[in-house]
Amino acid sequence: MITERILKSELAAKVITPAQAAAFFKDKMVVASSGFTKAGDSKAVLTALAERAKLDPLKVTLITGASLGHGTDGILADAHAISLRLPFQVDTIMRRAINSGEVLFIDQHLGETANLLKANNFPKIDIAILEAICIEQDGSIVPTTSVGNSASFAALADKIIIEINTEIPFSLKGVHDIFSPGDYPDRREIPIVNAASRIGQGTIPLDTDKIIGIVFTNIKDSPADIAPQDEVTAVIARHIVDFFTTEVEKGNLTNSLLPLQAGIGKVANAVLRGFLESDFEGLTMYSEVLQDSTFDLLDSGKMTFASGSSITVSSDYYEHIFNDFSIYKDKIVLRPQDISNAAEVIRRLGVIAINTALECDIYGNVNSTHIAGTNMMNGIGGSGDFARNSYLSIFVTQSVAKNETISRIVPMVSHVDHTEHDVDIIVTEHGLADLRGLAPRQRAEVIIEHCAHPDYKAELKSYFDRACARGGHTPHLLEEAFSWYTSLRQHGTMKPVSAEKVEFRA
Amino acid sequence: MITERILKSELAAKVITPAQAAAFFKDKMVVASSGFTKAGDSKAVLTALAERAKLDPLKVTLITGASLGHGTDGILADAHAISLRLPFQVDTIMRRAINSGEVLFIDQHLGETANLLKANNFPKIDIAILEAICIEQDGSIVPTTSVGNSASFAALADKIIIEINTEIPFSLKGVHDIFSPGDYPDRREIPIVNAASRIGQGTIPLDTDKIIGIVFTNIKDSPADIAPQDEVTAVIARHIVDFFTTEVEKGNLTNSLLPLQAGIGKVANAVLRGFLESDFEGLTMYSEVLQDSTFDLLDSGKMTFASGSSITVSSDYYEHIFNDFSIYKDKIVLRPQDISNAAEVIRRLGVIAINTALECDIYGNVNSTHIAGTNMMNGIGGSGDFARNSYLSIFVTQSVAKNETISRIVPMVSHVDHTEHDVDIIVTEHGLADLRGLAPRQRAEVIIEHCAHPDYKAELKSYFDRACARGGHTPHLLEEAFSWYTSLRQHGTMKPVSAEKVEFRA
């Protein structure tokens, strides 16, 4: 096992247990770990670190690619082992610690973390933990199911711990494309000109003198946990497919569209699956996460190539994909997240970005992260990298939540992650608002008309009309803009307490 | 005159008067005009169009590079000749028409307008009006003091009217660098690797069959109208120079820093002038507008090269610069605004972006455009293009306005143009808040401590403390977040009505 996975033989002496690895960490260290949307994360050392923290308290800064699997963020939060976390998480326990103020969190564009680290705009990484398939003869490592920030961590960290995961088949070798644009002031172009461009090397180079330990694991990635498609998400998907059908008919796009990006989760998967039954051909993807629906599209032949930073799929798909990975070897590539999410490439390729909104306001500003403007859900992730630089920026959301007590279309979003400048289209199950070429007052009419739930339309219209009467480019009544949240806090619903009031105002 | 300026001689027959040119326009047309921050704008045809509209009413969509000089936006608004305006304006009368709802306005990242037009995400341009120094033998035109969107307009418009401005000296020829990354799906890299890279050609190619008229003018650009530096702006400039001095001492930057971008106006000019008395050497600029202070830095030898999309200077500087432009010929370049403001290049070069905020909140969100969340001031301009993709994103503002009745640091900004993700540093006359690597609760403490005016500190602290007591990643009290604006509306000041209340809360 060791000789098969550690081809630079003198490194075999560095094999240690997770508990031994955990002993390297000190209070206040900056720790980096591989892992992007639950794929390719540290599965042994971070949990050993949590165990150690319970006996021997310490708190570290933890930087990853994106979210970790196996409840690791929760285990670390429970052990009070984290002082600062970045750039993304999806864990219930970690989220609670963040919102209570116990854990500080930097919510960051996923494409930017590596740049900030390289630019010395963040403290130096003390130890990086990197999951790998194997260590090559030249000391470079082959990453597993994600690349994330691992190449940057390898370059920047003082010390490195490798987690060799023997569960990941060797057949994945060759799917990675590791490229760095270099350092300021001598950065160069990222020469990707289509989703399939390969511009780098297959392994992550690293200085093996920095390796302080090698740990073996044999644990699969946490499976993606995606709620099944339902009627609402299917309708949203249909609106989007219909929109693109019309764009092709108008001659704005060809039948292969432009490279697709989709956020993670139920709605995004449903939207991608919507393309399965469409007439589009030769689709490509330039995204962060390759999900179940990506492989459906590849399997169907509708999609010819998919570029991402991780493979994050459900258990069934995992078996299917890794059972014979050779089928996908020339159809996918995994890139560092500062390349998958690079503004430069997204703009050049004309990516069509489809992301999920927590809520949208009548002028098209989007909140992706904060419940009632205050409590962090997961983080902005890559949505901003794509929305800002895409050919088309689409946000999807269900029109209401929690038994219709919450409207996802509101007078003013309680937190802004994406400004109206960066939002072209909003879709709910009620329809699609095409905001291209519209001024704010026009946007409001289209969003209320096409996207709002019927129960909230009259109140939205009333707010908008009364705000327009007061005037302004983006009419608002600041004293009332957040009253729906106050109502939700006090009465458990955003709906007006008296139904007559709505009738009257309408 | 004609033979000197129209080198493709058969085009001489197309010379017409401005009034004749104005007759080409029809109601509902999409009209594009050269002009970027008052430089290189249409000086005859747009005003003739306004004259015509008074006698023969019509309304057009008007797209420019950025703002127009000579009060043209106001003249057009007065003539009720504009239905939709984009992407930027700075005119008092136009602003009033926008805020009343008479003129619709699309406030747009200046780097994105050309992309939207090329991507068919906006109606086709019927007529483009382009100021030029001359028409070359091959039919291409030499732009004047700005490039803006002129190259894109020339490529995309159905018909073209050229305004040849004989006031602009021939010596400016050669300063322009016209490049297009191409069209989807075959766009290529923008191969700029430093501020001085020249990647294109000196003239704007166009199909001369599209020219429907050539008008001669001899009117200078409107001079930049910059209020003189005062103690407050000088102090802000000193904070920034001190910050960079420390960054160099720490080894984060070299003595030539990285290419500078600065917004327009008093504060930005003061900041750039701050570098005159510094120890920095070999500075470069990769910005939108080359202002008075740019030429001061070039003259002093502190700056070696400046890249922009326009030259917008005051009268004295205009005389000085164009009196012998040969001095600057190898020190500046003017680019299309989708290149000067390209995310790709800004990120690659590691631009240091310095822009002005209308207001900032305690978490570092910035409002650049909307007074009290409602009324448009000028527009976001290029601030978002730079802030998002820069090496460092700095926003400057005076801590208070209107006799201290308005605090520029507020609990929650009334409109978000730049989210906290995109804001690294905030500077007022009271100090500099370095937000790099800080979570929201830390950001709030630093911003209140370093940037707020003393009269508002206690109230900001009180809001923050009470919001933290309720909890959340970004603690807010939504029912109170905008109360300062309500107070301003009702009492003419954001200050608490009773001074004792502040004392008590503090």
Side-chain angles (χ1 to χ4, degrees), chain A residues 99 107 109 112 115 121 184 347 370 374 384 388 421-422 436 472-474, chain B residues 99 105 107 109 112 115 121 184 347 370 374 384 388 421-422 436 472-474:
Chain A
N99 288 320
D107 176 28
H109 298 301
E112 299 204 347
N115 286 307
N121 284 331
Y184 296 121
R347 171 58 51 86
H370 282 68
T374 298
R388 169 67 65 91
H421 310 285
D422 299 338
R436 293 175 295 172
H473 173 60
T474 305
Chain B
N99 288 320
F105 178 57
D107 176 29
H109 298 301
E112 299 204 347
N115 286 306
N121 284 331
Y184 297 121
R347 170 59 50 86
H370 283 68
T374 298
R388 169 67 65 91
H421 310 285
D422 300 337
R436 292 175 295 172
H473 174 60
T474 307

mmCIF file of all heavy atoms in Angstrom, chain A residues 99 107 109 112 115 121 184 347 370 374 384 388 421-422 436 472-474, chain B residues 99 105 107 109 112 115 121 184 347 370 374 384 388 421-422 436 472-474:
data_model
loop_
_atom_site.group_PDB
_atom_site.id
_atom_site.type_symbol
_atom_site.label_atom_id
_atom_site.label_comp_id
_atom_site.label_asym_id
_atom_site.label_seq_id
_atom_site.Cartn_x
_atom_site.Cartn_y
_atom_site.Cartn_z
ATOM 1 N N ASN A 99 -23.019 32.323 14.149
ATOM 2 C CA ASN A 99 -24.065 33.315 14.438
ATOM 3 C C ASN A 99 -24.085 33.755 15.898
ATOM 4 O O ASN A 99 -24.535 34.857 16.210
ATOM 5 C CB ASN A 99 -25.427 32.789 13.976
ATOM 6 C CG ASN A 99 -25.525 32.787 12.461
ATOM 7 O OD1 ASN A 99 -25.048 33.725 11.807
ATOM 8 N ND2 ASN A 99 -26.096 31.743 11.892
ATOM 9 N N ASP A 107 -16.745 35.439 4.995
ATOM 10 C CA ASP A 107 -17.561 34.957 3.884
ATOM 11 C C ASP A 107 -16.944 35.538 2.617
ATOM 12 O O ASP A 107 -16.921 36.750 2.439
ATOM 13 C CB ASP A 107 -18.981 35.495 4.125
ATOM 14 C CG ASP A 107 -19.938 35.167 3.012
ATOM 15 O OD1 ASP A 107 -19.738 34.148 2.333
ATOM 16 O OD2 ASP A 107 -20.906 35.938 2.833
ATOM 17 N N HIS A 109 -15.764 35.417 -1.697
ATOM 18 C CA HIS A 109 -15.859 34.892 -3.064
ATOM 19 C C HIS A 109 -14.861 33.736 -3.173
ATOM 20 O O HIS A 109 -13.655 33.934 -2.930
ATOM 21 C CB HIS A 109 -15.457 35.954 -4.081
ATOM 22 C CG HIS A 109 -16.328 37.176 -4.093
ATOM 23 N ND1 HIS A 109 -17.683 37.122 -4.346
ATOM 24 C CD2 HIS A 109 -16.050 38.488 -3.905
ATOM 25 C CE1 HIS A 109 -18.193 38.349 -4.304
ATOM 26 N NE2 HIS A 109 -17.216 39.194 -4.023
ATOM 27 N N GLU A 112 -11.467 34.086 -4.788
ATOM 28 C CA GLU A 112 -10.534 35.126 -4.334
ATOM 29 C C GLU A 112 -9.622 34.728 -3.188
ATOM 30 O O GLU A 112 -8.628 35.408 -2.937
ATOM 31 C CB GLU A 112 -11.322 36.383 -3.948
ATOM 32 C CG GLU A 112 -12.095 36.921 -5.124
ATOM 33 C CD GLU A 112 -12.428 38.392 -5.031
ATOM 34 O OE1 GLU A 112 -12.281 38.970 -3.947
ATOM 35 O OE2 GLU A 112 -12.832 38.949 -6.060
ATOM 36 N N ASN A 115 -5.998 34.382 -4.109
ATOM 37 C CA ASN A 115 -5.386 35.674 -4.424
ATOM 38 C C ASN A 115 -5.025 36.450 -3.169
ATOM 39 O O ASN A 115 -3.964 37.063 -3.087
ATOM 40 C CB ASN A 115 -6.355 36.522 -5.257
ATOM 41 C CG ASN A 115 -6.457 36.032 -6.677
ATOM 42 O OD1 ASN A 115 -5.454 35.880 -7.359
ATOM 43 N ND2 ASN A 115 -7.662 35.734 -7.105
ATOM 44 N N ASN A 121 -2.322 39.468 1.917
ATOM 45 C CA ASN A 121 -3.403 40.190 2.580
ATOM 46 C C ASN A 121 -4.077 39.348 3.664
ATOM 47 O O ASN A 121 -5.177 39.649 4.106
ATOM 48 C CB ASN A 121 -4.427 40.675 1.547
ATOM 49 C CG ASN A 121 -3.921 41.880 0.782
ATOM 50 O OD1 ASN A 121 -3.139 42.658 1.310
ATOM 51 N ND2 ASN A 121 -4.334 42.027 -0.460
ATOM 52 N N TYR A 184 2.193 38.614 -8.354
ATOM 53 C CA TYR A 184 2.347 40.029 -8.687
ATOM 54 C C TYR A 184 3.803 40.417 -8.578
ATOM 55 O O TYR A 184 4.476 39.946 -7.674
ATOM 56 C CB TYR A 184 1.524 40.900 -7.728
ATOM 57 C CG TYR A 184 0.032 40.660 -7.827
ATOM 58 C CD1 TYR A 184 -0.700 40.245 -6.722
ATOM 59 C CD2 TYR A 184 -0.641 40.840 -9.036
ATOM 60 C CE1 TYR A 184 -2.077 40.032 -6.812
ATOM 61 C CE2 TYR A 184 -2.007 40.612 -9.123
ATOM 62 C CZ TYR A 184 -2.715 40.210 -8.013
ATOM 63 O OH TYR A 184 -4.061 39.998 -8.110
ATOM 64 N N ARG A 347 -15.712 35.630 -17.913
ATOM 65 C CA ARG A 347 -16.074 36.672 -18.873
ATOM 66 C C ARG A 347 -15.704 36.254 -20.299
ATOM 67 O O ARG A 347 -16.464 36.443 -21.234
ATOM 68 C CB ARG A 347 -15.369 37.983 -18.485
ATOM 69 C CG ARG A 347 -15.443 39.125 -19.466
ATOM 70 C CD ARG A 347 -16.855 39.581 -19.822
ATOM 71 N NE ARG A 347 -17.727 39.869 -18.708
ATOM 72 C CZ ARG A 347 -17.816 41.031 -18.067
ATOM 73 N NH1 ARG A 347 -17.071 42.042 -18.433
ATOM 74 N NH2 ARG A 347 -18.653 41.203 -17.074
ATOM 75 N N HIS A 370 -27.732 35.661 4.129
ATOM 76 C CA HIS A 370 -28.121 36.060 5.483
ATOM 77 C C HIS A 370 -29.622 35.943 5.709
ATOM 78 O O HIS A 370 -30.409 36.626 5.040
ATOM 79 C CB HIS A 370 -27.719 37.508 5.758
ATOM 80 C CG HIS A 370 -26.272 37.694 6.074
ATOM 81 N ND1 HIS A 370 -25.275 37.503 5.137
ATOM 82 C CD2 HIS A 370 -25.628 38.064 7.221
ATOM 83 C CE1 HIS A 370 -24.098 37.760 5.691
ATOM 84 N NE2 HIS A 370 -24.277 38.096 6.956
ATOM 85 N N THR A 374 -29.121 38.979 9.045
ATOM 86 C CA THR A 374 -28.318 38.866 10.250
ATOM 87 C C THR A 374 -27.611 37.510 10.384
ATOM 88 O O THR A 374 -26.404 37.460 10.609
ATOM 89 C CB THR A 374 -29.234 39.103 11.478
ATOM 90 O OG1 THR A 374 -29.754 40.426 11.411
ATOM 91 C CG2 THR A 374 -28.483 38.920 12.766
ATOM 92 N N GLY A 384 -20.925 34.996 -6.621
ATOM 93 C CA GLY A 384 -20.512 36.334 -7.052
ATOM 94 C C GLY A 384 -19.451 36.312 -8.134
ATOM 95 O O GLY A 384 -19.449 37.150 -9.033
ATOM 96 N N ARG A 388 -21.141 38.193 -11.488
ATOM 97 C CA ARG A 388 -20.559 39.449 -11.940
ATOM 98 C C ARG A 388 -20.023 39.361 -13.364
ATOM 99 O O ARG A 388 -20.149 40.287 -14.148
ATOM 100 C CB ARG A 388 -19.436 39.885 -10.989
ATOM 101 C CG ARG A 388 -18.560 41.027 -11.459
ATOM 102 C CD ARG A 388 -19.282 42.373 -11.567
ATOM 103 N NE ARG A 388 -19.727 42.875 -10.287
ATOM 104 C CZ ARG A 388 -19.017 43.682 -9.502
ATOM 105 N NH1 ARG A 388 -17.843 44.106 -9.878
ATOM 106 N NH2 ARG A 388 -19.506 44.080 -8.341
ATOM 107 N N HIS A 421 -26.884 45.474 -10.439
ATOM 108 C CA HIS A 421 -25.983 45.552 -11.592
ATOM 109 C C HIS A 421 -25.618 44.166 -12.113
ATOM 110 O O HIS A 421 -25.238 44.019 -13.266
ATOM 111 C CB HIS A 421 -24.673 46.247 -11.211
ATOM 112 C CG HIS A 421 -24.840 47.550 -10.509
ATOM 113 N ND1 HIS A 421 -25.219 48.692 -11.150
ATOM 114 C CD2 HIS A 421 -24.686 47.892 -9.206
ATOM 115 C CE1 HIS A 421 -25.293 49.689 -10.278
ATOM 116 N NE2 HIS A 421 -24.969 49.233 -9.098
ATOM 117 N N ASP A 422 -25.657 43.181 -11.241
ATOM 118 C CA ASP A 422 -25.111 41.858 -11.564
ATOM 119 C C ASP A 422 -26.182 40.787 -11.704
ATOM 120 O O ASP A 422 -25.878 39.597 -11.708
ATOM 121 C CB ASP A 422 -24.129 41.424 -10.460
ATOM 122 C CG ASP A 422 -22.956 42.380 -10.335
ATOM 123 O OD1 ASP A 422 -22.677 43.099 -11.311
ATOM 124 O OD2 ASP A 422 -22.321 42.414 -9.264
ATOM 125 N N ARG A 436 -32.909 42.373 -18.409
ATOM 126 C CA ARG A 436 -31.903 42.966 -19.301
ATOM 127 C C ARG A 436 -32.438 44.260 -19.922
ATOM 128 O O ARG A 436 -33.527 44.284 -20.478
ATOM 129 C CB ARG A 436 -31.539 41.978 -20.407
ATOM 130 C CG ARG A 436 -30.823 40.757 -19.897
ATOM 131 C CD ARG A 436 -30.594 39.756 -21.017
ATOM 132 N NE ARG A 436 -31.850 39.225 -21.529
ATOM 133 C CZ ARG A 436 -31.949 38.449 -22.609
ATOM 134 N NH1 ARG A 436 -30.862 38.145 -23.303
ATOM 135 N NH2 ARG A 436 -33.116 37.986 -23.006
ATOM 136 N N GLY A 472 -37.645 59.135 -6.860
ATOM 137 C CA GLY A 472 -36.309 58.546 -6.812
ATOM 138 C C GLY A 472 -36.048 57.571 -7.936
ATOM 139 O O GLY A 472 -36.966 57.045 -8.549
ATOM 140 N N HIS A 473 -34.758 57.372 -8.194
ATOM 141 C CA HIS A 473 -34.341 56.429 -9.234
ATOM 142 C C HIS A 473 -34.692 55.005 -8.810
ATOM 143 O O HIS A 473 -35.141 54.192 -9.617
ATOM 144 C CB HIS A 473 -32.832 56.562 -9.433
ATOM 145 C CG HIS A 473 -32.240 55.549 -10.351
ATOM 146 N ND1 HIS A 473 -32.627 55.431 -11.666
ATOM 147 C CD2 HIS A 473 -31.292 54.599 -10.148
ATOM 148 C CE1 HIS A 473 -31.926 54.450 -12.238
ATOM 149 N NE2 HIS A 473 -31.125 53.934 -11.347
ATOM 150 N N THR A 474 -34.462 54.697 -7.531
ATOM 151 C CA THR A 474 -34.806 53.396 -6.963
ATOM 152 C C THR A 474 -35.749 53.690 -5.795
ATOM 153 O O THR A 474 -35.319 53.762 -4.644
ATOM 154 C CB THR A 474 -33.527 52.682 -6.470
ATOM 155 O OG1 THR A 474 -32.591 52.612 -7.558
ATOM 156 C CG2 THR A 474 -33.836 51.264 -5.999
ATOM 157 N N ASN B 99 -34.592 61.039 -11.290
ATOM 158 C CA ASN B 99 -35.206 60.794 -9.980
ATOM 159 C C ASN B 99 -36.712 61.040 -9.967
ATOM 160 O O ASN B 99 -37.430 60.456 -9.161
ATOM 161 C CB ASN B 99 -34.493 61.600 -8.899
ATOM 162 C CG ASN B 99 -33.109 61.040 -8.609
ATOM 163 O OD1 ASN B 99 -32.942 59.823 -8.569
ATOM 164 N ND2 ASN B 99 -32.122 61.911 -8.458
ATOM 165 N N PHE B 105 -33.092 55.237 -16.239
ATOM 166 C CA PHE B 105 -31.623 55.237 -16.222
ATOM 167 C C PHE B 105 -31.147 53.844 -15.858
ATOM 168 O O PHE B 105 -31.680 53.232 -14.928
ATOM 169 C CB PHE B 105 -31.138 56.264 -15.189
ATOM 170 C CG PHE B 105 -29.643 56.351 -15.005
ATOM 171 C CD1 PHE B 105 -28.810 56.618 -16.080
ATOM 172 C CD2 PHE B 105 -29.081 56.176 -13.748
ATOM 173 C CE1 PHE B 105 -27.428 56.718 -15.909
ATOM 174 C CE2 PHE B 105 -27.706 56.272 -13.554
ATOM 175 C CZ PHE B 105 -26.885 56.543 -14.645
ATOM 176 N N ASP B 107 -27.968 52.151 -14.495
ATOM 177 C CA ASP B 107 -26.708 52.446 -13.809
ATOM 178 C C ASP B 107 -25.845 51.203 -13.967
ATOM 179 O O ASP B 107 -26.192 50.146 -13.463
ATOM 180 C CB ASP B 107 -27.068 52.708 -12.337
ATOM 181 C CG ASP B 107 -25.873 52.933 -11.460
ATOM 182 O OD1 ASP B 107 -24.853 53.416 -11.968
ATOM 183 O OD2 ASP B 107 -25.980 52.617 -10.252
ATOM 184 N N HIS B 109 -21.959 49.056 -14.508
ATOM 185 C CA HIS B 109 -20.496 48.970 -14.457
ATOM 186 C C HIS B 109 -19.969 49.442 -15.815
ATOM 187 O O HIS B 109 -20.331 48.880 -16.851
ATOM 188 C CB HIS B 109 -20.051 47.528 -14.248
ATOM 189 C CG HIS B 109 -20.514 46.901 -12.966
ATOM 190 N ND1 HIS B 109 -20.195 47.421 -11.731
ATOM 191 C CD2 HIS B 109 -21.242 45.798 -12.717
ATOM 192 C CE1 HIS B 109 -20.716 46.651 -10.778
ATOM 193 N NE2 HIS B 109 -21.364 45.667 -11.349
ATOM 194 N N GLU B 112 -18.852 47.063 -18.541
ATOM 195 C CA GLU B 112 -19.752 46.013 -19.021
ATOM 196 C C GLU B 112 -20.680 46.413 -20.158
ATOM 197 O O GLU B 112 -21.255 45.544 -20.815
ATOM 198 C CB GLU B 112 -20.583 45.492 -17.843
ATOM 199 C CG GLU B 112 -19.700 44.895 -16.775
ATOM 200 C CD GLU B 112 -20.401 43.881 -15.900
ATOM 201 O OE1 GLU B 112 -21.626 43.785 -15.937
ATOM 202 O OE2 GLU B 112 -19.671 43.183 -15.161
ATOM 203 N N ASN B 115 -19.916 44.805 -23.456
ATOM 204 C CA ASN B 115 -20.215 43.363 -23.434
ATOM 205 C C ASN B 115 -21.694 43.096 -23.617
ATOM 206 O O ASN B 115 -22.083 42.192 -24.339
ATOM 207 C CB ASN B 115 -19.764 42.753 -22.102
ATOM 208 C CG ASN B 115 -18.261 42.623 -22.021
ATOM 209 O OD1 ASN B 115 -17.646 42.030 -22.894
ATOM 210 N ND2 ASN B 115 -17.672 43.191 -21.001
ATOM 211 N N ASN B 121 -27.723 41.552 -25.509
ATOM 212 C CA ASN B 121 -28.554 41.694 -24.324
ATOM 213 C C ASN B 121 -29.140 43.100 -24.198
ATOM 214 O O ASN B 121 -29.601 43.502 -23.131
ATOM 215 C CB ASN B 121 -27.757 41.323 -23.066
ATOM 216 C CG ASN B 121 -27.603 39.815 -22.945
ATOM 217 O OD1 ASN B 121 -28.454 39.065 -23.409
ATOM 218 N ND2 ASN B 121 -26.523 39.362 -22.338
ATOM 219 N N TYR B 184 -18.328 36.187 -28.595
ATOM 220 C CA TYR B 184 -18.630 34.840 -28.111
ATOM 221 C C TYR B 184 -18.980 33.944 -29.289
ATOM 222 O O TYR B 184 -19.644 34.417 -30.205
ATOM 223 C CB TYR B 184 -19.817 34.875 -27.129
ATOM 224 C CG TYR B 184 -19.544 35.658 -25.887
ATOM 225 C CD1 TYR B 184 -20.320 36.756 -25.538
ATOM 226 C CD2 TYR B 184 -18.495 35.292 -25.048
ATOM 227 C CE1 TYR B 184 -20.070 37.475 -24.381
ATOM 228 C CE2 TYR B 184 -18.243 36.019 -23.881
ATOM 229 C CZ TYR B 184 -19.030 37.101 -23.562
ATOM 230 O OH TYR B 184 -18.774 37.815 -22.414
ATOM 231 N N ARG B 347 -7.390 42.292 -12.342
ATOM 232 C CA ARG B 347 -6.935 41.210 -11.467
ATOM 233 C C ARG B 347 -5.489 40.809 -11.783
ATOM 234 O O ARG B 347 -4.667 40.615 -10.891
ATOM 235 C CB ARG B 347 -7.884 40.005 -11.618
ATOM 236 C CG ARG B 347 -7.463 38.714 -10.973
ATOM 237 C CD ARG B 347 -7.250 38.783 -9.457
ATOM 238 N NE ARG B 347 -8.321 39.369 -8.699
ATOM 239 C CZ ARG B 347 -9.397 38.715 -8.243
ATOM 240 N NH1 ARG B 347 -9.536 37.445 -8.470
ATOM 241 N NH2 ARG B 347 -10.321 39.348 -7.547
ATOM 242 N N HIS B 370 -26.665 56.250 -4.350
ATOM 243 C CA HIS B 370 -28.031 56.650 -4.015
ATOM 244 C C HIS B 370 -28.094 57.467 -2.726
ATOM 245 O O HIS B 370 -27.737 56.971 -1.660
ATOM 246 C CB HIS B 370 -28.920 55.429 -3.832
ATOM 247 C CG HIS B 370 -29.361 54.780 -5.115
ATOM 248 N ND1 HIS B 370 -28.484 54.121 -5.949
ATOM 249 C CD2 HIS B 370 -30.584 54.687 -5.698
ATOM 250 C CE1 HIS B 370 -29.165 53.642 -6.984
ATOM 251 N NE2 HIS B 370 -30.426 53.978 -6.863
ATOM 252 N N THR B 374 -32.418 56.150 -2.376
ATOM 253 C CA THR B 374 -33.509 56.396 -3.315
ATOM 254 C C THR B 374 -33.098 57.241 -4.520
ATOM 255 O O THR B 374 -33.344 56.868 -5.656
ATOM 256 C CB THR B 374 -34.672 57.091 -2.557
ATOM 257 O OG1 THR B 374 -35.142 56.200 -1.538
ATOM 258 C CG2 THR B 374 -35.806 57.448 -3.491
ATOM 259 N N GLY B 384 -17.038 49.576 -9.368
ATOM 260 C CA GLY B 384 -17.245 48.140 -9.145
ATOM 261 C C GLY B 384 -16.305 47.280 -9.968
ATOM 262 O O GLY B 384 -15.855 46.229 -9.508
ATOM 263 N N ARG B 388 -13.965 45.114 -7.237
ATOM 264 C CA ARG B 388 -14.120 43.661 -7.193
ATOM 265 C C ARG B 388 -12.824 42.921 -7.526
ATOM 266 O O ARG B 388 -12.520 41.892 -6.944
ATOM 267 C CB ARG B 388 -15.223 43.229 -8.161
ATOM 268 C CG ARG B 388 -15.330 41.723 -8.425
ATOM 269 C CD ARG B 388 -15.768 40.902 -7.224
ATOM 270 N NE ARG B 388 -17.106 41.185 -6.780
ATOM 271 C CZ ARG B 388 -18.195 40.544 -7.200
ATOM 272 N NH1 ARG B 388 -18.098 39.582 -8.060
ATOM 273 N NH2 ARG B 388 -19.381 40.875 -6.731
ATOM 274 N N HIS B 421 -17.645 42.043 0.765
ATOM 275 C CA HIS B 421 -16.683 41.133 0.133
ATOM 276 C C HIS B 421 -15.643 41.890 -0.687
ATOM 277 O O HIS B 421 -14.557 41.375 -0.932
ATOM 278 C CB HIS B 421 -17.405 40.180 -0.818
ATOM 279 C CG HIS B 421 -18.589 39.479 -0.234
ATOM 280 N ND1 HIS B 421 -18.466 38.442 0.647
ATOM 281 C CD2 HIS B 421 -19.919 39.667 -0.389
ATOM 282 C CE1 HIS B 421 -19.675 38.020 0.997
ATOM 283 N NE2 HIS B 421 -20.565 38.747 0.391
ATOM 284 N N ASP B 422 -16.028 43.070 -1.171
ATOM 285 C CA ASP B 422 -15.210 43.787 -2.150
ATOM 286 C C ASP B 422 -14.566 45.053 -1.591
ATOM 287 O O ASP B 422 -14.091 45.898 -2.351
ATOM 288 C CB ASP B 422 -16.078 44.165 -3.361
ATOM 289 C CG ASP B 422 -16.672 42.939 -4.047
ATOM 290 O OD1 ASP B 422 -16.101 41.847 -3.880
ATOM 291 O OD2 ASP B 422 -17.697 43.072 -4.730
ATOM 292 N N ARG B 436 -8.777 43.876 6.036
ATOM 293 C CA ARG B 436 -8.290 42.608 5.483
ATOM 294 C C ARG B 436 -8.247 41.535 6.576
ATOM 295 O O ARG B 436 -7.702 41.768 7.657
ATOM 296 C CB ARG B 436 -6.885 42.798 4.900
ATOM 297 C CG ARG B 436 -6.870 43.681 3.673
ATOM 298 C CD ARG B 436 -5.457 43.938 3.202
ATOM 299 N NE ARG B 436 -4.684 44.707 4.188
ATOM 300 C CZ ARG B 436 -3.389 44.934 4.094
ATOM 301 N NH1 ARG B 436 -2.706 44.453 3.079
ATOM 302 N NH2 ARG B 436 -2.772 45.648 5.024
ATOM 303 N N GLY B 472 -26.025 36.943 15.571
ATOM 304 C CA GLY B 472 -25.908 36.867 14.121
ATOM 305 C C GLY B 472 -24.495 37.098 13.633
ATOM 306 O O GLY B 472 -23.654 37.670 14.329
ATOM 307 N N HIS B 473 -24.245 36.613 12.424
ATOM 308 C CA HIS B 473 -22.936 36.798 11.800
ATOM 309 C C HIS B 473 -22.700 38.276 11.488
ATOM 310 O O HIS B 473 -21.599 38.799 11.671
ATOM 311 C CB HIS B 473 -22.903 35.971 10.513
ATOM 312 C CG HIS B 473 -21.687 36.167 9.684
ATOM 313 N ND1 HIS B 473 -20.424 35.895 10.154
ATOM 314 C CD2 HIS B 473 -21.524 36.608 8.409
ATOM 315 C CE1 HIS B 473 -19.537 36.153 9.196
ATOM 316 N NE2 HIS B 473 -20.173 36.589 8.144
ATOM 317 N N THR B 474 -23.731 38.938 10.989
ATOM 318 C CA THR B 474 -23.684 40.370 10.704
ATOM 319 C C THR B 474 -24.814 41.000 11.512
ATOM 320 O O THR B 474 -25.904 41.232 11.006
ATOM 321 C CB THR B 474 -23.899 40.618 9.193
ATOM 322 O OG1 THR B 474 -22.962 39.827 8.447
ATOM 323 C CG2 THR B 474 -23.713 42.079 8.831
#
